[in-house]
Amino acid sequence: MLSFLGSAGMVVALVGSVLLVVRGFRAARHDTNANPGSAAQLLLAGAVVAMGAMVLALLTDDFSLVYTANNHAGATPFPFDVATAWAALEGSIVLWGLVLAGYTWFVFRRYRERPDRLGAAALAVMGLVAIFFFALMITVANPFEVCVRAVETGCAESSPWPFATVSAPTDGPGPNPLLQNHFMMAIHPPVLYLGYVGMTVPFAYAMGALALGVPGPEWLRRSHRSTLVAWSFLTLGILLGGWWAYEVLSWGGYWAWDPVENASLMPWLVATAFLHSGIVQQRRGMLQAWNLILVISTFSLTILGTFLTRSGTINSVHSFTQSAIGPALLGFLVLTLVGSFALFSTRADIVATSPRVETLVSREGMFLANNLLLSVYAFIVLVGTTYPLVLEAFSGTQVGVGEPFFNRLAVPLSFLLLLVMGFGPITPWRSAPPGLLWARTRIPGLIGLAAGLLTALTVSRNGWVVLAVTLGVFVVATMTGLLVEQTSARTAKTPETFSTAVRRVVTGDAAFWAGQLSHIGVVLVAIGIAFAANLGSHAEVVLSPGEAAQFQGYSLTFESPFRQVQPSKTIVGARLTVTRDGRFIGVVEPSANFFGSAESAVSTPDVLHRPGGDLYITLLSTPDSGAATFQFDTSPMIWVLWLGGLTTATGGFLAMAARRRERSTSQVRRTADV
């Protein structure tokens, strides 16, 4: 029954996608009878039914579905049973389709408020993307195949026909142990998908504008809020992924330049460049062709990331097994690139007519520098990620590109980006009068140098730490100086108090100041990474019950081993008491978790969160024999990194809300004028 329901949902969504393309293109050609509304409803309804059937099969332990039989177990607890819906290959594509259908519905709602050719063309492009993904589900990534030959735990043979004779196993192996070892698995992938898939919206508007030959920034205005939403979710998804790695993978880190980590970073970098250059086009009419290249690249990088994750071509904790979906995704990527840039080239006479940047000493010049640095950054990550794959494909030689390559190139670029971030907001549009930049940066520069000197004298003389603090404080000081300057100018003209004037200045340009909040978040991320990466300590010790070890001012006493048997796993761990200067700090319990019948354990660290940084304890060998091996790590100021990522995403969401208020105000004014 659930197989039929899920299959029917996918078919309905595919039919809705096809109708959306047909009716969208007809509406874009001035056919007033072509209403894409029912097609968008079909697409969303089918996607919801498909995902609902998937989740229901997992919640009810319906092992007649191959997906449930091979990726679920009756003992899998909530919420990991629900999260299994996107924990494996086929289910993750269903989630992609559901999020895409949701974004398509919101684009249609915008079109319904203001029907026009551009909105209809954007819906048609989103329909084309939806056709590919739902066709993928029905063919090479069908999550609703039924099991026709069961093995002890799992399914050995399947049929795509929902009414085939079923031979269901009594239980399954459960999801990947790593993916049920922390509740973040239930949150991180959907949030990341909201960012990934959301980049389809600006791409659809851009392709619609090119297809119709619509000049100017109208497609940017239509898609700007959606881009902010997607970028904010992508930022939050990357942050949650880093936290998941830090809490689960037992190596004390949060980023390892893993190919799939890079696959999420690349579209984030290019989308960040697009958000900045889009402001230049909307304000000054510049960088039109560049913005189209960026939006095509962003969408293409999301498809590349999907290919890297789901093709099985790389070895990663994030990736899935080999499947036929890889060639299909690669083909879609090639088709997207060829089709988009072919359409772009046919409209060269339109996109190449925008004015040029007059001088680099201007707001638009700083945005251009920001774009170039972000694009070079993304290109470096792209080369480092794909070079081993390309080399192996053509020569059979296997090579690895690791952290040294990325850090050697990415770290200097990151500091250059911080420097440009400090100059961008305080530089006027068109050109800066002589002496203005010096006047606005003199005091922030001195404050930044003083902060760096203080850090070197009291905390550490590590060059990267000092430089991160110096540039970070400089960036925040320039923003603060600009706010004080604008507030002082307001109080000189009005009887408002300083605090009231600050509030009026911020609310008067809420989107700009929300962007500055995101910049502050990036500063915090840079400082957090600099401290955690350069000032951390590491040690491995062997302790017997009752013994203690001294580590970075802490005294860790191994009290006793323990074993807990739960329905879904067996936990073998060690209990340690942590003191500092004779004062009790807490109890930590690092462990090794055995899921189901698995012989290998998933090491689960325990983290003691402290204001100065985390104490990270990993159990390297189980203490059944008495003695146990532990790994101790410190992550100084790591909480600054998490706070910074959250602040960056919050700034994006606040900017989106500000744009929405601006749009509502504009609509009210237009209505009043009528």
Side-chain angles (χ1 to χ4, degrees), residues 560-629:
S560 63
F562 67 88
R563 175 183 291 268
Q564 297 176 2
V565 179
Q566 299 179 1
S568 62
K569 62 185 177 182
T570 298
I571 304 173
V572 178
R575 186 173 292 105
L576 296 93
T577 300
V578 183
T579 60
R580 189 181 184 99
D581 299 326
R583 217 165 24 89
F584 175 77
I585 301 297
V587 175
V588 292
E589 296 182 343
S591 63
N593 296 343
F594 295 84
F595 289 86
S597 59
E599 296 181 359
S600 59
V602 176
S603 183
T604 305
D606 201 352
V607 185
L608 192 62
H609 302 286
R610 303 281 291 162
D614 291 350
L615 176 62
Y616 194 99
I617 304 96
T618 307
L619 181 64
L620 297 182
S621 69
T622 55
D624 289 342
S625 60
T629 304

Side-chain angles (χ1 to χ4, degrees), residues 239-329:
L239 173 69
L240 295 178
W243 187 28
W244 175 80
Y246 180 73
E247 293 281 346
V248 171
L249 297 186
S250 74
W251 56 289
Y254 44 83
W255 191 267
W257 297 106
D258 179 280
V260 181
E261 292 174 339
N262 296 345
S264 63
L265 178 63
M266 289 185 288
W268 185 89
L269 290 168
V270 181
T272 303
F274 171 59
L275 281 172
H276 287 81
S277 62
I279 295 172
V280 177
Q281 184 178 346
Q282 293 184 65
R283 181 69 179 261
R284 301 276 286 120
M286 299 173 174
L287 305 180
Q288 185 174 202
W290 178 241
N291 278 321
L292 288 165
I293 292 173
L294 286 178
V295 77
I296 292 171
S297 301
T298 301
F299 177 72
S300 299
L301 286 170
T302 64
I303 303 302
L304 175 64
T306 309
F307 166 75
L308 291 174
T309 310
R310 288 154 186 81
S311 63
T313 57
I314 59 173
N315 292 318
S316 165
V317 66
H318 302 81
S319 62
F320 300 114
T321 56
Q322 290 277 355
S323 76
I325 199 174
L329 284 168

Side-chain angles (χ1 to χ4, degrees), residues 87-102:
L89 175 62
E90 295 84 359
S92 69
I93 300 298
V94 176
L95 178 61
W96 182 289
L98 176 64
V99 176
L100 179 60

Side-chain angles (χ1 to χ4, degrees), residues 9 14 58 83 96 116 176 205 208 269 324 414 417 420 488 491 503 506 558 575 578 581 610 624 651:
L14 181 60
L58 294 166
W96 182 289
D116 67 349
N176 185 328
Y205 274 107
L269 290 168
S414 300
L417 279 166
V420 172
S488 300
T491 56
R503 188 172 66 253
V506 172
F558 179 18
R575 186 173 292 105
V578 183
D581 299 326
R610 303 281 291 162
D624 289 342

Side-chain angles (χ1 to χ4, degrees), residues 117-144:
R117 299 176 65 211
L118 180 57
L123 283 169
V125 174
M126 296 197 74
L128 285 171
V129 177
I131 286 175
F132 169 75
F133 279 99
F134 283 99
L136 205 62
M137 294 178 214
I138 293 174
T139 54
V140 297
N142 188 348
F144 295 105

